[in-house]
Amino acid sequence: MKAPTREELAQSGTLEELYAKLEKVAMGPGWNKPTPSLWASPRKTFQPGHWRYEQARGALDAAGRLINTELAERRNLILVNPAEGNTYGTVRTIVAAYQMIMPGEWARAHRHTPNALRLILDAEPGTYTVVDGVNIAMEPGDVLLTPNWSTHGHGNNSKACAYWLDFLDAPLVQLLEPMFFEPYEDDDASHAAFEPEPPAATTDSPFVFTLAETRRRLAAAPATPEAPFGTAIELGSPALDTIALHMMSLKPGVRTQEHRSTANNIYAVVRGTGVTSVDGESFAWRRGDVIAAPAWRPHTHEATSDALVFRVTDEPVLHKLGFFRTP
Ligand SMILES: [Fe+2]
């Protein structure tokens, strides 16, 4: 049907008649919205959550039998927040995933605008990531960056399956829409060049924070066990344009001060055991587990054994846009 003219709109006799005509010109009456567009303080859309490495290991081992890296760009398990309507993000801006690569496999190289990083959980020497042509070793507790548009592929020349946690700002990129992705055209050639053994991997790269260096820095940091993140150091400043990374050392039996901000936080356990309480829900974690503390959810941590916890947060985004707040 033809769009109503100025006169036809002006002559609307009732609100219902006006609303019907407005629909045809893709306008909506701001005084009659089905849902409010502003609210007094952040809504609790995304839920606190806990994902267990033990369960992921079982599922990845099955996927190892059922899916090979020829079929899948990556063999990974996405940690989907159970928020209503959500099908991807772990929190609003960041997605976390467990990934596994089997001995002798190569997860082919590609690049994309989403910033990515990974925390290595279990890997034997011989597991590596190539970032922009540089071969970087992946060892447990290491954090490896692949920033926006860097080409990266993963290889495993060890005898054991390698497991890690990926974190990407892909949900944010989906929201803002500057998404670009491309496979690396010379992937076969570049990978073939590594047969049968890739060149020695380095740990001397701006793209990796090794656990050894992280431990050394933590040991030298002033002890603040009761601070909201325990005794913590930052990896990078920030590590990526959209994501800041911190390693937290938690002392057993000490409850950290409550933290609440407009930023999202995801915690991943490098070692130890403990409990994180997020907005009234308590999650007892162990090595490799992941906890989501979405924006504006107050939370605290308490280790039950010496613990190292990795914090992934979108604070840089909130700061850059002027939206970072605490109560
Ligand atoms: Fe990737």
Side-chain angles (χ1 to χ4, degrees), residues 28-322:
W31 65 87
N32 190 39
K33 292 192 298 288
T35 54
S37 46
L38 307 176
W39 41 91
S41 60
R43 285 176 158 181
K44 295 178 176 180
T45 312
F46 277 69
Q47 304 299 310
H50 178 198
W51 291 266
R52 290 177 176 81
Y53 182 39
E54 192 173 73
Q55 293 170 343
R57 285 285 297 248
L60 283 171
D61 290 342
R65 290 196 316 274
L66 303 169
I67 290 286
N68 65 35
T69 50
E70 295 295 312
L71 292 173
E73 189 75 19
R74 296 291 187 259
R75 184 191 292 110
N76 60 13
L77 299 173
I78 298 161
L79 312 189
V80 183
N81 191 285
E84 197 181 331
N86 179 54
T87 58
Y88 185 49
T90 306
V91 293
R92 175 67 79 187
T93 52
I94 301 172
V95 64
Y98 287 103
Q99 180 163 171
M100 188 265 271
I101 174 170
M102 297 177 74
E105 277 188 335
W106 167 252
R108 55 187 175 270
H110 62 211
R111 61 179 174 174
H112 39 67
T113 44
N115 292 281
L117 67 122
R118 47 210 56 77
L119 170 70
I120 319 310
L121 297 175
D122 282 292
E124 297 287 324
T127 313
Y128 61 101
T129 288
V130 183
V131 188
D132 286 340
V134 178
N135 197 6
I136 302 171
M138 301 173 87
E139 293 177 12
D142 290 358
V143 173
L144 209 151
L145 310 179
T146 52
N148 179 349
W149 217 234
S150 56
T151 300
H152 54 280
H154 313 291
N156 182 354
N157 276 18
S158 80
K159 299 273 187 287
C161 294
Y163 302 82
W164 63 81
L165 272 164
D166 288 304
F167 301 86
L168 289 89
D169 61 7
L172 177 67
V173 178
Q174 290 176 357
L175 180 73
L176 300 178
E177 304 210 347
M179 181 69 80
F180 294 90
F181 170 93
E182 63 182 33
Y184 182 51
E185 277 182 22
D186 294 331
D187 187 55
D188 286 345
S190 72
H191 181 218
F194 291 155
E195 301 287 358
E197 286 290 323
T202 180
T203 52
D204 180 20
S205 159
F207 297 126
V208 67
F209 301 97
T210 63
L211 180 61
E213 173 66 4
T214 297
R215 280 190 194 282
R216 195 191 60 73
R217 288 185 57 207
L218 272 170
T224 54
E226 290 171 14
F229 307 109
T231 300
I233 58 159
E234 180 165 11
L235 309 182
S237 61
L240 295 163
D241 285 339
T242 53
I243 299 175
L245 306 174
H246 300 260
M247 200 65 86
M248 304 161 32
S249 169
L250 300 174
K251 196 174 166 187
V254 178
R255 190 179 169 87
T256 61
Q257 289 156 14
E258 185 175 276
H259 176 76
R260 184 185 208 186
S261 83
T262 49
N264 292 287
N265 283 283
I266 303 176
Y267 298 93
V269 183
V270 177
R271 67 171 276 209
T273 54
V275 176
T276 293
S277 300
V278 185
D279 207 10
E281 291 185 58
S282 286
F283 304 113
W285 42 257
R286 51 193 292 191
R287 189 177 79 86
D289 285 8
V290 172
I291 305 290
W296 215 239
R297 301 277 193 167
H299 57 279
T300 63
H301 310 279
E302 185 169 344
T304 48
S305 63
D306 269 327
L308 261 187
V309 175
F310 182 49
R311 178 165 82 99
V312 178
T313 177
D314 60 1
E315 278 176 16
V317 175
L318 282 295
H319 280 297
K320 281 172 193 162
L321 300 181

